[in-house]
Amino acid sequence: MKTIARSILLLWLISPMAYAQDFSRILQSIESHSLRLESARQEADAQKAESRQESALEELSLGFNYLWGKDGIGNRKDFSVSQTFDFPNVMALKHKMVREMQRVCDLQYLSERQRVLLAAHKLCIQVVYCNAMMEHLNEDLEETEEMAKAYETLFNKG
């Protein structure tokens, strides 16, 4: 009967209901202090900024020309300002591509977050299991020591 009670206790300690609340605090702490997640967030932000930069208009091009002329014609001075831009449908497709790239960056971050939290969750489960096994083995040790003392007293009595 005692072994059945221990087995039930062990299963209860390992069950998801038993550790969900305690592990949530641990996982939140890991999420807020994880350098891997922080670097993944910064990388995602950098990739988003880079994708936004791709859809921006190109910079203005300024020009100045001074043309020497013959006598009587005179010299000519030209100022020019130019900027290239894409056709509206190409620009719309670029903006759509930027949105999708940003979505991909967010999903990559979430994937890394899940990977880190899953590893932490597995470690928490192992800790709970090891603690339960240690408690079980300590009880067995106590029972064995009591039995050894009992046999020793019986042996001494003859």
Side-chain angles (χ1 to χ4, degrees), residues 69-92:
K70 293 186 179 182
D71 293 336
I73 298 177
N75 299 330
R76 190 173 99 187
K77 298 173 189 169
D78 291 335
F79 291 99
S80 64
V81 177
S82 64
Q83 182 179 24
T84 60
F85 65 95
D86 296 322
F87 292 107
N89 57 352
V90 173
M91 288 187 68

mmCIF file with all atom_site columns, all heavy atoms in Angstrom, residues 69-92:
data_model
loop_
_atom_site.group_PDB
_atom_site.id
_atom_site.type_symbol
_atom_site.label_atom_id
_atom_site.label_alt_id
_atom_site.label_comp_id
_atom_site.label_asym_id
_atom_site.label_entity_id
_atom_site.label_seq_id
_atom_site.pdbx_PDB_ins_code
_atom_site.Cartn_x
_atom_site.Cartn_y
_atom_site.Cartn_z
_atom_site.occupancy
_atom_site.B_iso_or_equiv
_atom_site.pdbx_formal_charge
_atom_site.auth_seq_id
_atom_site.auth_comp_id
_atom_site.auth_asym_id
_atom_site.auth_atom_id
_atom_site.pdbx_PDB_model_num
ATOM 1   N N   . GLY A 1 69 ? 31.912 77.598 -73.264 1.00 0.00 ? 69 GLY A N   1
ATOM 2   C CA  . GLY A 1 69 ? 31.436 77.859 -74.627 1.00 0.00 ? 69 GLY A CA  1
ATOM 3   C C   . GLY A 1 69 ? 32.447 78.650 -75.440 1.00 0.00 ? 69 GLY A C   1
ATOM 4   O O   . GLY A 1 69 ? 33.442 79.149 -74.944 1.00 0.00 ? 69 GLY A O   1
ATOM 5   N N   . LYS A 1 70 ? 32.174 78.738 -76.750 1.00 0.00 ? 70 LYS A N   1
ATOM 6   C CA  . LYS A 1 70 ? 33.056 79.511 -77.628 1.00 0.00 ? 70 LYS A CA  1
ATOM 7   C C   . LYS A 1 70 ? 32.745 80.989 -77.457 1.00 0.00 ? 70 LYS A C   1
ATOM 8   O O   . LYS A 1 70 ? 31.740 81.373 -76.865 1.00 0.00 ? 70 LYS A O   1
ATOM 9   C CB  . LYS A 1 70 ? 32.825 79.088 -79.062 1.00 0.00 ? 70 LYS A CB  1
ATOM 10  C CG  . LYS A 1 70 ? 33.261 77.678 -79.342 1.00 0.00 ? 70 LYS A CG  1
ATOM 11  C CD  . LYS A 1 70 ? 33.143 77.392 -80.799 1.00 0.00 ? 70 LYS A CD  1
ATOM 12  C CE  . LYS A 1 70 ? 33.608 75.970 -81.082 1.00 0.00 ? 70 LYS A CE  1
ATOM 13  N NZ  . LYS A 1 70 ? 33.555 75.666 -82.478 1.00 0.00 ? 70 LYS A NZ  1
ATOM 14  N N   . ASP A 1 71 ? 33.589 81.758 -78.055 1.00 0.00 ? 71 ASP A N   1
ATOM 15  C CA  . ASP A 1 71 ? 33.377 83.195 -77.991 1.00 0.00 ? 71 ASP A CA  1
ATOM 16  C C   . ASP A 1 71 ? 32.053 83.531 -78.658 1.00 0.00 ? 71 ASP A C   1
ATOM 17  O O   . ASP A 1 71 ? 31.717 83.037 -79.724 1.00 0.00 ? 71 ASP A O   1
ATOM 18  C CB  . ASP A 1 71 ? 34.515 83.933 -78.711 1.00 0.00 ? 71 ASP A CB  1
ATOM 19  C CG  . ASP A 1 71 ? 35.834 83.764 -77.966 1.00 0.00 ? 71 ASP A CG  1
ATOM 20  O OD1 . ASP A 1 71 ? 35.773 83.512 -76.730 1.00 0.00 ? 71 ASP A OD1 1
ATOM 21  O OD2 . ASP A 1 71 ? 36.892 83.887 -78.596 1.00 0.00 ? 71 ASP A OD2 1
ATOM 22  N N   . GLY A 1 72 ? 31.307 84.330 -78.044 1.00 0.00 ? 72 GLY A N   1
ATOM 23  C CA  . GLY A 1 72 ? 30.042 84.768 -78.591 1.00 0.00 ? 72 GLY A CA  1
ATOM 24  C C   . GLY A 1 72 ? 28.876 83.906 -78.132 1.00 0.00 ? 72 GLY A C   1
ATOM 25  O O   . GLY A 1 72 ? 27.744 84.355 -78.098 1.00 0.00 ? 72 GLY A O   1
ATOM 26  N N   . ILE A 1 73 ? 29.118 82.642 -77.834 1.00 0.00 ? 73 ILE A N   1
ATOM 27  C CA  . ILE A 1 73 ? 28.026 81.775 -77.372 1.00 0.00 ? 73 ILE A CA  1
ATOM 28  C C   . ILE A 1 73 ? 27.870 81.913 -75.867 1.00 0.00 ? 73 ILE A C   1
ATOM 29  O O   . ILE A 1 73 ? 26.767 81.991 -75.360 1.00 0.00 ? 73 ILE A O   1
ATOM 30  C CB  . ILE A 1 73 ? 28.294 80.302 -77.741 1.00 0.00 ? 73 ILE A CB  1
ATOM 31  C CG1 . ILE A 1 73 ? 28.359 80.134 -79.247 1.00 0.00 ? 73 ILE A CG1 1
ATOM 32  C CG2 . ILE A 1 73 ? 27.239 79.402 -77.155 1.00 0.00 ? 73 ILE A CG2 1
ATOM 33  C CD1 . ILE A 1 73 ? 28.689 78.738 -79.685 1.00 0.00 ? 73 ILE A CD1 1
ATOM 34  N N   . GLY A 1 74 ? 28.935 81.930 -75.152 1.00 0.00 ? 74 GLY A N   1
ATOM 35  C CA  . GLY A 1 74 ? 28.895 82.064 -73.703 1.00 0.00 ? 74 GLY A CA  1
ATOM 36  C C   . GLY A 1 74 ? 29.043 80.720 -72.994 1.00 0.00 ? 74 GLY A C   1
ATOM 37  O O   . GLY A 1 74 ? 29.079 79.664 -73.611 1.00 0.00 ? 74 GLY A O   1
ATOM 38  N N   . ASN A 1 75 ? 29.134 80.785 -71.710 1.00 0.00 ? 75 ASN A N   1
ATOM 39  C CA  . ASN A 1 75 ? 29.278 79.582 -70.877 1.00 0.00 ? 75 ASN A CA  1
ATOM 40  C C   . ASN A 1 75 ? 27.902 79.165 -70.377 1.00 0.00 ? 75 ASN A C   1
ATOM 41  O O   . ASN A 1 75 ? 26.993 79.993 -70.215 1.00 0.00 ? 75 ASN A O   1
ATOM 42  C CB  . ASN A 1 75 ? 30.198 79.868 -69.699 1.00 0.00 ? 75 ASN A CB  1
ATOM 43  C CG  . ASN A 1 75 ? 31.591 80.266 -70.156 1.00 0.00 ? 75 ASN A CG  1
ATOM 44  O OD1 . ASN A 1 75 ? 32.045 79.825 -71.203 1.00 0.00 ? 75 ASN A OD1 1
ATOM 45  N ND2 . ASN A 1 75 ? 32.248 81.108 -69.384 1.00 0.00 ? 75 ASN A ND2 1
ATOM 46  N N   . ARG A 1 76 ? 27.762 77.894 -70.142 1.00 0.00 ? 76 ARG A N   1
ATOM 47  C CA  . ARG A 1 76 ? 26.472 77.379 -69.673 1.00 0.00 ? 76 ARG A CA  1
ATOM 48  C C   . ARG A 1 76 ? 26.663 76.698 -68.311 1.00 0.00 ? 76 ARG A C   1
ATOM 49  O O   . ARG A 1 76 ? 27.616 75.953 -68.101 1.00 0.00 ? 76 ARG A O   1
ATOM 50  C CB  . ARG A 1 76 ? 25.925 76.379 -70.681 1.00 0.00 ? 76 ARG A CB  1
ATOM 51  C CG  . ARG A 1 76 ? 24.493 75.994 -70.390 1.00 0.00 ? 76 ARG A CG  1
ATOM 52  C CD  . ARG A 1 76 ? 23.937 75.149 -71.493 1.00 0.00 ? 76 ARG A CD  1
ATOM 53  N NE  . ARG A 1 76 ? 24.016 73.754 -71.054 1.00 0.00 ? 76 ARG A NE  1
ATOM 54  C CZ  . ARG A 1 76 ? 23.746 72.729 -71.802 1.00 0.00 ? 76 ARG A CZ  1
ATOM 55  N NH1 . ARG A 1 76 ? 23.419 72.894 -73.068 1.00 0.00 ? 76 ARG A NH1 1
ATOM 56  N NH2 . ARG A 1 76 ? 23.815 71.516 -71.326 1.00 0.00 ? 76 ARG A NH2 1
ATOM 57  N N   . LYS A 1 77 ? 25.723 76.973 -67.427 1.00 0.00 ? 77 LYS A N   1
ATOM 58  C CA  . LYS A 1 77 ? 25.736 76.356 -66.102 1.00 0.00 ? 77 LYS A CA  1
ATOM 59  C C   . LYS A 1 77 ? 24.450 75.543 -65.948 1.00 0.00 ? 77 LYS A C   1
ATOM 60  O O   . LYS A 1 77 ? 23.365 76.076 -66.194 1.00 0.00 ? 77 LYS A O   1
ATOM 61  C CB  . LYS A 1 77 ? 25.805 77.412 -65.006 1.00 0.00 ? 77 LYS A CB  1
ATOM 62  C CG  . LYS A 1 77 ? 27.057 78.246 -65.072 1.00 0.00 ? 77 LYS A CG  1
ATOM 63  C CD  . LYS A 1 77 ? 26.999 79.367 -64.075 1.00 0.00 ? 77 LYS A CD  1
ATOM 64  C CE  . LYS A 1 77 ? 28.167 80.307 -64.308 1.00 0.00 ? 77 LYS A CE  1
ATOM 65  N NZ  . LYS A 1 77 ? 28.049 81.527 -63.561 1.00 0.00 ? 77 LYS A NZ  1
ATOM 66  N N   . ASP A 1 78 ? 24.591 74.276 -65.574 1.00 0.00 ? 78 ASP A N   1
ATOM 67  C CA  . ASP A 1 78 ? 23.425 73.402 -65.381 1.00 0.00 ? 78 ASP A CA  1
ATOM 68  C C   . ASP A 1 78 ? 23.361 72.934 -63.936 1.00 0.00 ? 78 ASP A C   1
ATOM 69  O O   . ASP A 1 78 ? 24.369 72.524 -63.366 1.00 0.00 ? 78 ASP A O   1
ATOM 70  C CB  . ASP A 1 78 ? 23.519 72.149 -66.270 1.00 0.00 ? 78 ASP A CB  1
ATOM 71  C CG  . ASP A 1 78 ? 23.353 72.454 -67.737 1.00 0.00 ? 78 ASP A CG  1
ATOM 72  O OD1 . ASP A 1 78 ? 22.721 73.471 -68.057 1.00 0.00 ? 78 ASP A OD1 1
ATOM 73  O OD2 . ASP A 1 78 ? 23.852 71.650 -68.553 1.00 0.00 ? 78 ASP A OD2 1
ATOM 74  N N   . PHE A 1 79 ? 22.180 73.008 -63.376 1.00 0.00 ? 79 PHE A N   1
ATOM 75  C CA  . PHE A 1 79 ? 21.898 72.407 -62.071 1.00 0.00 ? 79 PHE A CA  1
ATOM 76  C C   . PHE A 1 79 ? 20.874 71.303 -62.307 1.00 0.00 ? 79 PHE A C   1
ATOM 77  O O   . PHE A 1 79 ? 19.897 71.502 -63.036 1.00 0.00 ? 79 PHE A O   1
ATOM 78  C CB  . PHE A 1 79 ? 21.305 73.443 -61.101 1.00 0.00 ? 79 PHE A CB  1
ATOM 79  C CG  . PHE A 1 79 ? 22.278 74.492 -60.693 1.00 0.00 ? 79 PHE A CG  1
ATOM 80  C CD1 . PHE A 1 79 ? 22.283 75.732 -61.312 1.00 0.00 ? 79 PHE A CD1 1
ATOM 81  C CD2 . PHE A 1 79 ? 23.195 74.237 -59.682 1.00 0.00 ? 79 PHE A CD2 1
ATOM 82  C CE1 . PHE A 1 79 ? 23.179 76.702 -60.934 1.00 0.00 ? 79 PHE A CE1 1
ATOM 83  C CE2 . PHE A 1 79 ? 24.094 75.212 -59.306 1.00 0.00 ? 79 PHE A CE2 1
ATOM 84  C CZ  . PHE A 1 79 ? 24.087 76.448 -59.928 1.00 0.00 ? 79 PHE A CZ  1
ATOM 85  N N   . SER A 1 80 ? 21.079 70.148 -61.685 1.00 0.00 ? 80 SER A N   1
ATOM 86  C CA  . SER A 1 80 ? 20.100 69.066 -61.861 1.00 0.00 ? 80 SER A CA  1
ATOM 87  C C   . SER A 1 80 ? 19.853 68.364 -60.531 1.00 0.00 ? 80 SER A C   1
ATOM 88  O O   . SER A 1 80 ? 20.751 68.222 -59.701 1.00 0.00 ? 80 SER A O   1
ATOM 89  C CB  . SER A 1 80 ? 20.610 68.049 -62.887 1.00 0.00 ? 80 SER A CB  1
ATOM 90  O OG  . SER A 1 80 ? 21.777 67.423 -62.425 1.00 0.00 ? 80 SER A OG  1
ATOM 91  N N   . VAL A 1 81 ? 18.606 67.974 -60.367 1.00 0.00 ? 81 VAL A N   1
ATOM 92  C CA  . VAL A 1 81 ? 18.185 67.202 -59.204 1.00 0.00 ? 81 VAL A CA  1
ATOM 93  C C   . VAL A 1 81 ? 17.403 66.015 -59.747 1.00 0.00 ? 81 VAL A C   1
ATOM 94  O O   . VAL A 1 81 ? 16.459 66.186 -60.527 1.00 0.00 ? 81 VAL A O   1
ATOM 95  C CB  . VAL A 1 81 ? 17.292 68.039 -58.262 1.00 0.00 ? 81 VAL A CB  1
ATOM 96  C CG1 . VAL A 1 81 ? 16.800 67.195 -57.107 1.00 0.00 ? 81 VAL A CG1 1
ATOM 97  C CG2 . VAL A 1 81 ? 18.039 69.253 -57.765 1.00 0.00 ? 81 VAL A CG2 1
ATOM 98  N N   . SER A 1 82 ? 17.779 64.810 -59.337 1.00 0.00 ? 82 SER A N   1
ATOM 99  C CA  . SER A 1 82 ? 17.062 63.631 -59.835 1.00 0.00 ? 82 SER A CA  1
ATOM 100 C C   . SER A 1 82 ? 16.899 62.604 -58.719 1.00 0.00 ? 82 SER A C   1
ATOM 101 O O   . SER A 1 82 ? 17.683 62.550 -57.773 1.00 0.00 ? 82 SER A O   1
ATOM 102 C CB  . SER A 1 82 ? 17.814 63.007 -61.019 1.00 0.00 ? 82 SER A CB  1
ATOM 103 O OG  . SER A 1 82 ? 19.067 62.538 -60.596 1.00 0.00 ? 82 SER A OG  1
ATOM 104 N N   . GLN A 1 83 ? 15.837 61.836 -58.882 1.00 0.00 ? 83 GLN A N   1
ATOM 105 C CA  . GLN A 1 83 ? 15.570 60.766 -57.922 1.00 0.00 ? 83 GLN A CA  1
ATOM 106 C C   . GLN A 1 83 ? 14.861 59.653 -58.675 1.00 0.00 ? 83 GLN A C   1
ATOM 107 O O   . GLN A 1 83 ? 13.909 59.895 -59.424 1.00 0.00 ? 83 GLN A O   1
ATOM 108 C CB  . GLN A 1 83 ? 14.700 61.263 -56.774 1.00 0.00 ? 83 GLN A CB  1
ATOM 109 C CG  . GLN A 1 83 ? 14.436 60.195 -55.737 1.00 0.00 ? 83 GLN A CG  1
ATOM 110 C CD  . GLN A 1 83 ? 13.603 60.707 -54.588 1.00 0.00 ? 83 GLN A CD  1
ATOM 111 O OE1 . GLN A 1 83 ? 12.861 61.679 -54.736 1.00 0.00 ? 83 GLN A OE1 1
ATOM 112 N NE2 . GLN A 1 83 ? 13.717 60.065 -53.446 1.00 0.00 ? 83 GLN A NE2 1
ATOM 113 N N   . THR A 1 84 ? 15.327 58.421 -58.455 1.00 0.00 ? 84 THR A N   1
ATOM 114 C CA  . THR A 1 84 ? 14.674 57.297 -59.115 1.00 0.00 ? 84 THR A CA  1
ATOM 115 C C   . THR A 1 84 ? 13.588 56.746 -58.202 1.00 0.00 ? 84 THR A C   1
ATOM 116 O O   . THR A 1 84 ? 13.707 56.767 -56.979 1.00 0.00 ? 84 THR A O   1
ATOM 117 C CB  . THR A 1 84 ? 15.683 56.183 -59.424 1.00 0.00 ? 84 THR A CB  1
ATOM 118 O OG1 . THR A 1 84 ? 16.264 55.735 -58.208 1.00 0.00 ? 84 THR A OG1 1
ATOM 119 C CG2 . THR A 1 84 ? 16.775 56.676 -60.359 1.00 0.00 ? 84 THR A CG2 1
ATOM 120 N N   . PHE A 1 85 ? 12.526 56.283 -58.796 1.00 0.00 ? 85 PHE A N   1
ATOM 121 C CA  . PHE A 1 85 ? 11.474 55.630 -58.027 1.00 0.00 ? 85 PHE A CA  1
ATOM 122 C C   . PHE A 1 85 ? 10.860 54.540 -58.902 1.00 0.00 ? 85 PHE A C   1
ATOM 123 O O   . PHE A 1 85 ? 10.909 54.581 -60.122 1.00 0.00 ? 85 PHE A O   1
ATOM 124 C CB  . PHE A 1 85 ? 10.414 56.622 -57.539 1.00 0.00 ? 85 PHE A CB  1
ATOM 125 C CG  . PHE A 1 85 ? 9.626  57.261 -58.641 1.00 0.00 ? 85 PHE A CG  1
ATOM 126 C CD1 . PHE A 1 85 ? 8.413  56.731 -59.025 1.00 0.00 ? 85 PHE A CD1 1
ATOM 127 C CD2 . PHE A 1 85 ? 10.095 58.399 -59.280 1.00 0.00 ? 85 PHE A CD2 1
ATOM 128 C CE1 . PHE A 1 85 ? 7.687  57.325 -60.041 1.00 0.00 ? 85 PHE A CE1 1
ATOM 129 C CE2 . PHE A 1 85 ? 9.366  59.000 -60.283 1.00 0.00 ? 85 PHE A CE2 1
ATOM 130 C CZ  . PHE A 1 85 ? 8.161  58.462 -60.675 1.00 0.00 ? 85 PHE A CZ  1
ATOM 131 N N   . ASP A 1 86 ? 10.309 53.579 -58.242 1.00 0.00 ? 86 ASP A N   1
ATOM 132 C CA  . ASP A 1 86 ? 9.724  52.444 -58.937 1.00 0.00 ? 86 ASP A CA  1
ATOM 133 C C   . ASP A 1 86 ? 8.290  52.756 -59.333 1.00 0.00 ? 86 ASP A C   1
ATOM 134 O O   . ASP A 1 86 ? 7.659  53.687 -58.826 1.00 0.00 ? 86 ASP A O   1
ATOM 135 C CB  . ASP A 1 86 ? 9.747  51.214 -58.027 1.00 0.00 ? 86 ASP A CB  1
ATOM 136 C CG  . ASP A 1 86 ? 11.165 50.793 -57.698 1.00 0.00 ? 86 ASP A CG  1
ATOM 137 O OD1 . ASP A 1 86 ? 12.015 50.882 -58.597 1.00 0.00 ? 86 ASP A OD1 1
ATOM 138 O OD2 . ASP A 1 86 ? 11.410 50.373 -56.551 1.00 0.00 ? 86 ASP A OD2 1
ATOM 139 N N   . PHE A 1 87 ? 7.783  51.951 -60.220 1.00 0.00 ? 87 PHE A N   1
ATOM 140 C CA  . PHE A 1 87 ? 6.375  52.084 -60.590 1.00 0.00 ? 87 PHE A CA  1
ATOM 141 C C   . PHE A 1 87 ? 5.522  51.759 -59.372 1.00 0.00 ? 87 PHE A C   1
ATOM 142 O O   . PHE A 1 87 ? 5.947  51.032 -58.480 1.00 0.00 ? 87 PHE A O   1
ATOM 143 C CB  . PHE A 1 87 ? 6.039  51.134 -61.739 1.00 0.00 ? 87 PHE A CB  1
ATOM 144 C CG  . PHE A 1 87 ? 6.701  51.511 -63.020 1.00 0.00 ? 87 PHE A CG  1
ATOM 145 C CD1 . PHE A 1 87 ? 7.765  50.772 -63.511 1.00 0.00 ? 87 PHE A CD1 1
ATOM 146 C CD2 . PHE A 1 87 ? 6.275  52.618 -63.737 1.00 0.00 ? 87 PHE A CD2 1
ATOM 147 C CE1 . PHE A 1 87 ? 8.385  51.116 -64.692 1.00 0.00 ? 87 PHE A CE1 1
ATOM 148 C CE2 . PHE A 1 87 ? 6.891  52.973 -64.915 1.00 0.00 ? 87 PHE A CE2 1
ATOM 149 C CZ  . PHE A 1 87 ? 7.951  52.221 -65.397 1.00 0.00 ? 87 PHE A CZ  1
ATOM 150 N N   . PRO A 1 88 ? 4.307  52.290 -59.305 1.00 0.00 ? 88 PRO A N   1
ATOM 151 C CA  . PRO A 1 88 ? 3.471  52.070 -58.114 1.00 0.00 ? 88 PRO A CA  1
ATOM 152 C C   . PRO A 1 88 ? 3.229  50.597 -57.784 1.00 0.00 ? 88 PRO A C   1
ATOM 153 O O   . PRO A 1 88 ? 3.242  50.220 -56.616 1.00 0.00 ? 88 PRO A O   1
ATOM 154 C CB  . PRO A 1 88 ? 2.165  52.775 -58.467 1.00 0.00 ? 88 PRO A CB  1
ATOM 155 C CG  . PRO A 1 88 ? 2.552  53.820 -59.439 1.00 0.00 ? 88 PRO A CG  1
ATOM 156 C CD  . PRO A 1 88 ? 3.693  53.235 -60.223 1.00 0.00 ? 88 PRO A CD  1
ATOM 157 N N   . ASN A 1 89 ? 3.035  49.749 -58.798 1.00 0.00 ? 89 ASN A N   1
ATOM 158 C CA  . ASN A 1 89 ? 2.789  48.344 -58.469 1.00 0.00 ? 89 ASN A CA  1
ATOM 159 C C   . ASN A 1 89 ? 4.049  47.671 -57.913 1.00 0.00 ? 89 ASN A C   1
ATOM 160 O O   . ASN A 1 89 ? 3.976  46.809 -57.049 1.00 0.00 ? 89 ASN A O   1
ATOM 161 C CB  . ASN A 1 89 ? 2.255  47.574 -59.671 1.00 0.00 ? 89 ASN A CB  1
ATOM 162 C CG  . ASN A 1 89 ? 3.168  47.638 -60.866 1.00 0.00 ? 89 ASN A CG  1
ATOM 163 O OD1 . ASN A 1 89 ? 4.146  48.383 -60.879 1.00 0.00 ? 89 ASN A OD1 1
ATOM 164 N ND2 . ASN A 1 89 ? 2.852  46.868 -61.885 1.00 0.00 ? 89 ASN A ND2 1
ATOM 165 N N   . VAL A 1 90 ? 5.223  48.089 -58.371 1.00 0.00 ? 90 VAL A N   1
ATOM 166 C CA  . VAL A 1 90 ? 6.468  47.545 -57.824 1.00 0.00 ? 90 VAL A CA  1
ATOM 167 C C   . VAL A 1 90 ? 6.644  48.024 -56.388 1.00 0.00 ? 90 VAL A C   1
ATOM 168 O O   . VAL A 1 90 ? 7.053  47.261 -55.510 1.00 0.00 ? 90 VAL A O   1
ATOM 169 C CB  . VAL A 1 90 ? 7.674  47.955 -58.700 1.00 0.00 ? 90 VAL A CB  1
ATOM 170 C CG1 . VAL A 1 90 ? 8.979  47.536 -58.059 1.00 0.00 ? 90 VAL A CG1 1
ATOM 171 C CG2 . VAL A 1 90 ? 7.539  47.368 -60.089 1.00 0.00 ? 90 VAL A CG2 1
ATOM 172 N N   . MET A 1 91 ? 6.306  49.277 -56.127 1.00 0.00 ? 91 MET A N   1
ATOM 173 C CA  . MET A 1 91 ? 6.403  49.792 -54.761 1.00 0.00 ? 91 MET A CA  1
ATOM 174 C C   . MET A 1 91 ? 5.435  49.063 -53.834 1.00 0.00 ? 91 MET A C   1
ATOM 175 O O   . MET A 1 91 ? 5.775  48.748 -52.693 1.00 0.00 ? 91 MET A O   1
ATOM 176 C CB  . MET A 1 91 ? 6.140  51.295 -54.736 1.00 0.00 ? 91 MET A CB  1
ATOM 177 C CG  . MET A 1 91 ? 7.286  52.093 -55.349 1.00 0.00 ? 91 MET A CG  1
ATOM 178 S SD  . MET A 1 91 ? 7.101  53.854 -55.163 1.00 0.00 ? 91 MET A SD  1
ATOM 179 C CE  . MET A 1 91 ? 7.312  54.028 -53.418 1.00 0.00 ? 91 MET A CE  1
ATOM 180 N N   . ALA A 1 92 ? 4.230  48.778 -54.313 1.00 0.00 ? 92 ALA A N   1
ATOM 181 C CA  . ALA A 1 92 ? 3.264  48.047 -53.496 1.00 0.00 ? 92 ALA A CA  1
ATOM 182 C C   . ALA A 1 92 ? 3.781  46.648 -53.181 1.00 0.00 ? 92 ALA A C   1
ATOM 183 O O   . ALA A 1 92 ? 3.649  46.161 -52.044 1.00 0.00 ? 92 ALA A O   1
ATOM 184 C CB  . ALA A 1 92 ? 1.923  47.963 -54.208 1.00 0.00 ? 92 ALA A CB  1
#
